Amino acid sequence: YACHQLQPAELSFGNIGPSLQQYGKLRGASEPMLKYTWAKIYNAHAFNACSQMPRYGDANILTTQQLQHVMALLFDPASPVNR
């Protein structure tokens, strides 16, 4: 359940996926980056068939609103991820 690191203050974090620390700060919020990130969260298997990341949108694990919240967590400059 803890696949990524989100912020440096975390004492315990996952290491299955890459660190997401400063995700939006490092990558910017261009339309192509927003589309890529949404698509990756929605259906990670479209990018890598053997991905361990769930297909959060495609498999109806998260609602559209929940996916929007994940996007905000990753891109909002005020988010703990981007500090």
Side-chain angles (χ1 to χ4, degrees):
Y1 65 85
C3 300
H4 303 276
Q5 179 184 21
L6 295 175
Q7 57 182 322
E10 290 178 279
L11 297 175
S12 177
F13 53 85
N15 57 11
I16 294 171
S19 174
L20 298 177
Q21 185 179 341
Q22 297 190 342
Y23 186 89
K25 186 175 184 178
L26 295 173
R27 290 164 180 81
S30 67
E31 186 175 339
M33 182 51 63
L34 293 171
K35 285 182 176 182
Y36 165 78
T37 304
W38 179 272
K40 181 81 172 183
I41 295 168
Y42 191 86
N43 182 4
H45 294 207
F47 294 84
N48 175 0
C50 297
S51 176
Q52 293 182 20
M53 184 168 160
R55 297 173 295 188
Y56 287 108
D58 191 51
N60 295 314
I61 296 169
L62 296 178
T63 66
T64 299
Q65 184 178 25
Q66 290 170 321
L67 290 168
Q68 290 169 340
H69 287 281
V70 172
M71 291 289 289
L73 178 71
L74 293 174
F75 286 102
D76 187 331
S79 168
V81 170
N82 294 309
R83 289 190 199 150

